[in-house]
Amino acid sequence: MPSKWASRGHSEVAPQQPITAQEPEGRMLKGQLPNTDEELAPRPGSPAPPTAPRLGPEKSPVLPLDTAAPVSSKEDDPQAKARPFTPKPPTRPRLERALSLDEKSWRKRRFRTSREDLAARNGASPSGGSLPDKAPETPAHGGSPPCLSTSLQEIPTARGALGGGGPSTWGSCLSGMISTSLDLLHRDGAAARSSPRLASVLPARPLPAMDHSVASESLRTAHKVDADHADYKLRLQARLFRAHSSLGPGRPPSPLACDDGSLHSARSTFSLLAPIRAQDVRSRSYLEGSLLASGALMGADELARYFPDRTVALFVATWNMQGQKELPPNLDELLLPAEADYAQDLYVVGVQEGCSDRREWETRLQETLGPHYVMLHSAAHGALYLSVLIRRDLIWFCSEVESATVTTRIVSQIKTKGALGVSFTFFGTSFLFITSHFTSGDGKVGERLTDYSKTIQGLALPRTVPDTSPYRSDAADVTTRFDGVFWFGDFNFRLSGGRAAVEAMLKREAGASVQALLQHDQLAREMSRGSVFKGFQEPDIHFLPSYKFDVGKDSYDTTSKQRVPSYTDRVLYRSRHRDDICPLKYSCCPGIRTSDHRPVYGLFRVKVRPGRDNIPLAAGKFDRELYLLGIKRRISKETQRQQALKSQHASAICTVS
């Protein structure tokens, strides 16, 4: 019977071979290679084999295998015994698509999506065939994967490398090697008018054993996604694995980190977010965060993810702006000091005698810190401003923010002196921030002590947020109701001894002058007596007095009043648990000269404890309008700067400044 080779552009007729009794269960895959050398010889009465592609009497021709052909059965076809079986070579388009399995595309193949993976698991191919329908790429020769042949020179001549020559041995490597090898045989073998030898298409290592049904297994594993295949689990373990991205050392790697792109996977692509199990969501306890490590949003597991050492970086600053409308051109020296290599997690800034445009001041804070920070809360009491900015990643772990005010003036309508407090809970640690402006005057120490007493008794905090340790709280002192308290502002405590004595001390060396000045500090003396700021501490002072300067200059008061330079601006802290607050830096900003006061700031490391989810959460609320305004300011300034640089480079005039 004539073959279909003539219809595909070949002049020869393929040899006809009857189906032998060696196939298992009377079945044989179309185009399967014969098992013995005798089967390659022509049988009596059959047409002569083609002579053009022969290499010689010692070489055996390679019959291409059409993996897409269905399995023929003797029982299904009654004429199978009488009619010889003719193998068909694969069509040319399928051979062209086989080039996509070279090393380059094989290593750069994309991960399947969940939809494609489901289709593959159900037995259907996303591309509709045994090979992905992609345009052929240029093959890359260099370290090809197993079962892939990249050159004809690698094809050995010994048929003994088949390892037994049975149909199961051939079927084990069909899905990985046959497409590329057949394409190379078709192109190069036709050009040389010779048939290359067989055994290079086999790997050097011994092939694993397979089931007896070669045809079904080789077709099912064409995409290598069949979970029932023998070596599927081994291939799955060899896939890319990404360790868990959690910062916490105690958090184990997720068992779902190996992504197979299916619905059973935690994610369809690699992500830095930790997967959340559905079982954890169903059985989550929202009241026992500190008891169950992974039971709450505020619990120990979530805390370790963001803060492995359980300490948060805190920035606290105070500044008496003297009511000046003019703001500094740049606040980097205040909020981003040179001593800090990294920005802090939480920024709290208190202002006394603030500028008339409070919104402009807050916009400048947002603009300086940039889009990584959001305004968690801002409050005002007359000329007292208090702003709390936090990293936007951490707003989900804050409770509702509460604020309260106290007026220390005799007439309560006059709000130039007093205190403003803001409190909230972060994870399981409660914070209280107070900014105050006490009575001014060199000899009015008693009035300042009275201002302190009114503040600790009058601040009604917390309200709805539960106290983290109520048995340690005192109804007469607001500072005992929180784990961490920071009290900062213009306390107006002066240096005693007169202007002449202070100036003489300032003329000494920097370190000696500071230590000598602190011996005359009214606040340090009253704290040592226990009459003010009970339980509070202050970091070591290594800077010169922050009051009083001539506006725009570095000289102290040269007016007729000749006010004594003093440490009026201070930052104090108190911790409910010992050593929970560690000061790192305590300094002032001599470069900001728009007021007669210099801003004073402190950098702290505060220990944070896990909490429970029984607190009213802030739910990620922040000042969105201020956030957008600050971003627009930064974009506008950056655009202007780039335009200025472009015009400067384009100018041909050389200027000397």
Side-chain angles (χ1 to χ4, degrees):
M1 183 177 61
S3 174
K4 295 183 180 180
W5 279 58
S7 62
R8 305 195 180 191
H10 297 275
S11 59
E12 295 81 13
V13 178
Q16 298 179 353
Q17 295 181 2
I19 300 177
T20 62
Q22 296 179 0
E23 286 77 13
E25 300 179 1
R27 297 174 180 264
M28 178 175 181
L29 187 64
K30 279 190 177 184
Q32 182 165 338
L33 295 177
N35 297 331
T36 60
D37 294 335
E38 290 77 7
E39 294 178 16
L40 294 177
R43 297 191 179 265
S46 62
T51 57
R54 297 181 60 184
L55 288 176
E58 74 284 0
K59 299 183 179 180
S60 300
V62 176
L63 297 181
L65 178 62
D66 188 358
T67 58
V71 178
S72 61
S73 175
K74 292 182 180 181
E75 291 77 9
D76 298 338
D77 190 359
Q79 300 179 0
K81 299 181 179 180
R83 185 173 55 194
F85 175 75
T86 303
K88 298 179 181 180
T91 59
R92 185 63 180 177
R94 181 172 297 278
L95 292 175
E96 290 295 336
R97 289 197 300 270
L99 289 177
S100 61
L101 281 179
D102 57 24
E103 181 188 3
K104 182 177 180 181
S105 61
W106 182 80
R107 290 188 178 275
K108 295 185 177 180
R109 68 186 189 277
R110 64 182 180 85
F111 289 100
R112 298 186 184 91
T113 61
S114 298
R115 182 177 301 176
E116 293 172 343
D117 186 74
L118 270 182
R121 289 180 183 273
N122 293 332
S125 172
S127 60
S130 60
L131 293 176
D133 294 331
K134 290 185 177 180
E137 301 178 3
T138 304
H141 304 289
S144 60
C147 293
L148 290 180
S149 177
T150 57
S151 64
L152 290 177
Q153 286 76 9
E154 297 177 0
I155 302 179
T157 59
R159 188 178 178 277
L162 294 176
S168 61
T169 308
W170 275 100
S172 63
C173 64
L174 287 178
S175 59
M177 68 180 181
I178 194 64
S179 57
T180 304
S181 300
L182 287 178
D183 180 68
L184 294 174
L185 294 176
H186 187 279
R187 291 181 300 162
D188 300 340
R193 294 297 180 185
S194 60
S195 294
R197 296 183 181 270
L198 295 177
S200 90
V201 293
L202 295 178
R205 58 183 176 82
L207 296 175
M210 287 186 60
D211 295 340
H212 199 57
S213 180
V214 180
S216 60
E217 288 295 326
S218 60
L219 292 178
R220 288 168 58 198
T221 59
H223 272 285
K224 298 184 182 296
V225 295
D226 194 348
D228 297 332
H229 194 262
D231 60 340
Y232 175 77
K233 295 183 179 180
L234 297 178
R235 290 198 304 270
L236 184 62
Q237 294 176 0
R239 290 186 179 184
L240 292 176
F241 176 80
R242 184 170 189 148
H244 196 276
S245 62
S246 169
L247 297 177
R251 191 177 181 93
S254 171
L256 301 179
C258 286
D259 181 20
D260 59 356
S262 67
L263 291 179
H264 299 287
S265 173
R267 54 208 168 198
S268 59
T269 57
F270 287 116
S271 172
L272 292 177
L273 296 177
I276 302 175
R277 296 181 180 274
Q279 181 180 359
D280 295 340
V281 177
R282 289 192 298 266
S283 61
R284 189 172 191 173
S285 173
Y286 291 93
L287 299 177
E288 302 179 358
S290 60
L291 300 180
L292 301 178
S294 60
L297 178 67
M298 304 292 191
D301 192 31
E302 199 74 10
L303 176 60
R305 177 185 176 191
Y306 285 86
F307 301 101
D309 56 352
R310 296 195 175 186
T311 59
V312 61
L314 176 63
F315 174 93
V316 179
T318 178
W319 185 26
N320 188 322
M321 300 178 67
Q322 200 186 8
Q324 298 288 342
K325 295 182 179 180
E326 179 186 1
L327 293 176
N330 196 330
L331 294 178
D332 289 349
E333 183 182 356
L334 172 61
L335 301 177
L336 304 170
E339 295 84 2
D341 295 334
Y342 300 95
Q344 310 303 301
D345 300 316
L346 187 64
Y347 283 82
V348 183
V349 181
V351 171
Q352 307 83 40
E353 297 183 16
C355 61
S356 57
D357 192 350
R358 171 191 165 199
R359 192 63 175 178
E360 177 63 21
W361 164 247
E362 295 174 353
T363 304
R364 293 292 302 276
L365 294 177
Q366 178 70 70
E367 177 189 352
T368 303
L369 293 179
H372 291 290
Y373 293 85
V374 295
M375 181 73 72
L376 179 65
H377 187 79
S378 63
H381 177 63
L384 289 174
Y385 304 155
L386 185 59
S387 303
V388 180
L389 295 99
I390 191 172
R391 286 190 58 165
R392 64 186 185 188
D393 318 67
L394 306 176
I395 58 176
W396 310 104
F397 310 106
C398 298
S399 70
E400 290 184 352
V401 184
E402 301 174 330
S403 61
T405 60
V406 172
T407 299
T408 57
R409 288 284 192 178
I410 298 177
V411 181
S412 59
Q413 286 76 12
I414 302 177
K415 300 178 181 179
T416 56
K417 297 293 189 294
L420 171 61
V422 170
S423 65
F424 63 93
T425 298
F426 183 69
F427 281 98
T429 301
S430 57
F431 289 95
L432 172 63
F433 300 95
I434 306 175
T435 181
S436 296
H437 194 184
F438 290 169
T439 303
S440 60
D442 290 344
K444 297 183 179 180
V445 177
E447 287 82 348
R448 290 189 275 274
L449 299 180
T450 303
D451 294 343
Y452 164 78
S453 300
K454 289 182 178 180
T455 301
I456 62 175
Q457 297 175 10
L459 280 180
L461 292 174
R463 294 192 181 95
T464 60
V465 179
D467 193 343
T468 56
S469 185
Y471 62 91
R472 296 187 180 183
S473 301
D474 185 0
D477 189 352
V478 67
T479 62
T480 62
R481 306 170 201 161
F482 298 89
D483 298 319
V485 181
F486 293 85
W487 199 331
F488 46 96
D490 183 3
F491 299 147
N492 265 319
F493 286 97
R494 309 300 175 89
L495 292 177
S496 58
R499 174 68 183 260
V502 171
E503 286 184 345
M505 297 177 190
L506 290 174
K507 293 179 181 179
R508 301 179 183 177
E509 296 180 359
S513 61
V514 170
Q515 295 300 323
L517 292 172
L518 292 177
Q519 299 295 328
H520 302 273
D521 181 41
Q522 295 177 354
L523 178 59
R525 182 172 63 249
E526 295 299 328
M527 288 181 64
S528 62
R529 295 176 180 176
S531 56
V532 67
F533 293 112
K534 298 177 182 178
F536 280 84
Q537 297 176 271
E538 183 180 17
D540 296 336
I541 298 177
H542 299 286
F543 54 91
L544 296 177
S546 59
Y547 173 86
K548 169 182 173 107
F549 288 89
D550 294 329
V551 177
K553 300 179 181 179
D554 290 331
S555 58
Y556 289 102
D557 186 17
T558 58
T559 64
S560 58
K561 294 185 178 181
Q562 292 287 303
R563 293 183 177 87
V564 179
S566 302
Y567 293 98
T568 58
D569 308 282
R570 314 288 275 268
V571 177
L572 308 178
Y573 64 93
R574 172 177 177 170
S575 176
R576 175 179 283 174
H577 305 279
R578 185 177 181 181
D579 299 331
D580 273 9
I581 300 178
C582 176
L584 301 180
K585 181 68 177 180
Y586 191 37
S587 183
C588 69
C589 301
I592 298 180
R593 305 182 180 90
T594 56
S595 170
D596 58 351
H597 290 254
R598 296 290 185 263
V600 175
Y601 67 89
L603 301 179
F604 301 89
R605 300 290 292 181
V606 184
K607 186 174 182 179
V608 180
R609 302 176 186 273
R612 304 174 184 266
D613 282 352
N614 60 347
I615 63 175
L617 295 175
K621 294 185 297 185
F622 64 95
D623 195 332
R624 181 178 180 273
E625 295 181 0
L626 182 68
Y627 182 79
L628 296 177
L629 184 58
I631 293 178
K632 291 178 181 179
R633 289 275 190 94
R634 289 180 68 96
I635 294 176
S636 177
K637 287 189 175 182
E638 181 64 21
T639 303
Q640 294 177 2
R641 187 185 68 85
Q642 292 180 359
Q643 291 178 353
L645 290 176
K646 185 182 298 183
S647 60
Q648 180 180 359
H649 292 320
S651 176
I653 302 176
C654 181
T655 59
V656 179
S657 58

